[in-house]
Amino acid sequence: MQPKIEFRKVDFAYQTEVSVLKHVSFQVQPGQTVALVGANGSGKSTIAKLLTGLLTPNQGSILVDQTTLTPQNMAELRQRIGLVFQNPDDQIVGATVAENTAFGLENRNVSRPEMQRRVQMALEQVEMWEYRDREPGLLSGGQKQRVALASALAITPEILILDEATSMLDPQAKQELNQIIQRLQQQVGLTIILITHDLEMLALAERVIALDRQQVAFTGTAAELFHQEDLLMRMQLELPFSLQVQRDLAAQQVPLPANDLNEKELIAWLTKLL
Ligand SMILES: Nc1ncnc2c1ncn2[C@@H]1O[C@H](COP(=O)(O)OP(=O)(O)OP(=O)(O)O)[C@@H](O)[C@H]1O
Ligand SMILES: [Mg+2]
């Protein structure tokens, strides 16, 4: 299968002397959900900005559907990418939730009825349709993020990038957004990039790409990543609590029935043991 997204030896620096990305190469397959992880300042948001043409590489190339991004085709390619950022308040426009959701469709040659159809579809996907006439500024943080996601979905993107979209939300709102993302994963062909420090969100990804020291330091599954302890530490990522407990038990020479039990399995084993 041809990759949906490809970075080929991308170099990037904001200031000439400080390199942010050095020879960064990776591929994302169509329809896949990939998590992009790395310490603060490792260049995750920079990658999102390169992919959406807000920045251009100093060296190397970025391809979407085998087409190299250029200043000429950027505007067209960007229409196929939906973005949600960290801060809910940065993404509020318009007097109502519906207007906010329609915002990205203005100037896109979308007819009025089609616009209304897409706004309804997008707001239903994030369970915010009943809030369509509300003032977006008065919503909760989690609701604002769902509206921001609806705005990204209204453009019917092929690629959806969530850049720390849940990091300012409370656990309940986080979980709601994660459930919505899980439903979006069923949507055929939608490629999703989750930029995150959140372990629960990491669990949604089929593949994880980790950045460290200006480069891709790891690609693989989250379960594989949890065995790279030095890298996890450098990336300020903690192990899921159930794995941490198992490492501690193993360190005490407690024999475990299998490697990397999930939380349910661990509880089942512990309760039988006690
Ligand atoms: N506009 C800018 N001008 C100069 N340097 C910048 C700019 N934006 C980011 N940087 C620097 O580039 C590096 C990568 O930043 P980036 O925002 O991509 O990191 P990140 O991985 O998204 O971090 P975080 O987890 O904190 O969001 C950092 O060292 C940062 O200080
Ligand atoms: Mg960032």
Side-chain angles (χ1 to χ4, degrees):
M1 212 185 325
Q2 302 285 8
K4 186 74 189 172
I5 301 163
E6 188 174 0
F7 271 55
R8 285 193 191 154
K9 295 193 178 156
V10 170
D11 289 354
F12 181 79
Y14 288 95
Q15 293 124 344
T16 40
E17 64 287 9
V18 197
S19 160
V20 175
L21 303 175
K22 269 193 218 158
H23 280 28
V24 165
S25 299
F26 64 84
Q27 296 186 347
V28 179
Q29 297 304 319
Q32 214 175 36
T33 300
V34 167
L36 186 57
V37 299
N40 292 124
S42 60
K44 303 178 298 294
S45 296
T46 302
I47 285 181
K49 287 176 192 157
L50 286 164
L51 193 53
T52 45
L54 297 170
L55 299 170
T56 29
N58 301 119
Q59 288 288 325
S61 43
I62 300 168
L63 295 86
V64 174
D65 290 326
Q66 284 84 249
T67 303
T68 304
L69 301 194
T70 63
Q72 290 73 38
N73 64 20
M74 196 55 236
E76 190 275 317
L77 283 169
R78 198 194 237 160
Q79 305 220 349
R80 290 147 55 184
I81 304 179
L83 255 172
V84 181
F85 299 105
Q86 179 169 26
N87 190 340
D89 293 318
D90 288 349
Q91 300 165 85
I92 290 200
V93 286
T96 66
V97 164
E99 268 178 41
N100 188 304
T101 309
F103 186 74
L105 294 173
E106 315 271 346
N107 315 318
R108 271 192 200 228
N109 268 337
V110 179
S111 69
R112 225 5 65 203
E114 172 64 9
M115 208 187 252
Q116 283 164 351
R117 195 187 67 79
R118 291 218 208 155
V119 165
Q120 178 165 358
M121 177 204 69
L123 285 173
E124 281 174 353
Q125 278 178 300
V126 302
E127 293 165 16
M128 287 296 288
W129 175 238
E130 63 198 89
Y131 291 83
R132 60 192 173 277
D133 297 323
R134 297 278 195 96
E135 190 183 330
L138 301 180
L139 299 174
S140 74
Q143 291 170 332
K144 283 180 192 163
Q145 273 315 57
R146 272 147 61 187
V147 173
L149 177 56
S151 308
L153 292 173
I155 65 165
T156 57
E158 296 166 23
I159 299 170
L160 181 65
I161 306 174
L162 305 185
D163 188 353
E164 313 258 10
T166 60
S167 65
M168 293 173 77
L169 306 184
D170 61 60
Q172 160 103 26
K174 249 183 220 187
Q175 210 172 11
E176 283 166 6
L177 205 68
N178 282 349
Q179 277 163 4
I180 292 166
I181 294 164
Q182 267 177 305
R183 282 208 302 274
L184 291 174
Q185 289 180 305
Q186 313 300 319
Q187 202 164 306
V188 176
L190 180 65
T191 305
I192 304 178
I193 298 186
L194 304 172
I195 297 177
T196 187
H197 285 103
D198 184 68
L199 291 172
E200 276 170 56
M201 203 181 223
L202 202 63
L204 300 179
E206 291 149 82
R207 227 157 53 85
V208 182
I209 296 172
L211 292 175
D212 186 41
R213 300 179 173 143
Q214 293 91 47
Q215 298 198 311
V216 173
F218 168 91
T219 56
T221 63
E224 288 162 358
L225 178 65
F226 294 143
H227 287 279
Q228 311 263 326
E229 287 178 29
D230 292 347
L231 181 60
L232 287 177
M233 204 133 72
R234 282 205 301 281
M235 295 195 304
Q236 302 145 358
L237 266 181
E238 285 176 13
L239 279 178
F241 182 66
S242 61
L243 286 184
Q244 189 58 56
V245 170
Q246 290 169 73
R247 299 290 149 87
D248 293 347
L249 287 169
Q252 302 291 323
Q253 264 87 55
V254 177
L256 288 152
N259 290 328
D260 297 353
L261 303 174
N262 65 31
E263 203 171 294
K264 268 201 193 122
E265 292 164 344
L266 180 65
I267 291 169
W269 178 71
L270 282 171
T271 45
K272 260 185 266 158
L273 194 74
L274 294 175

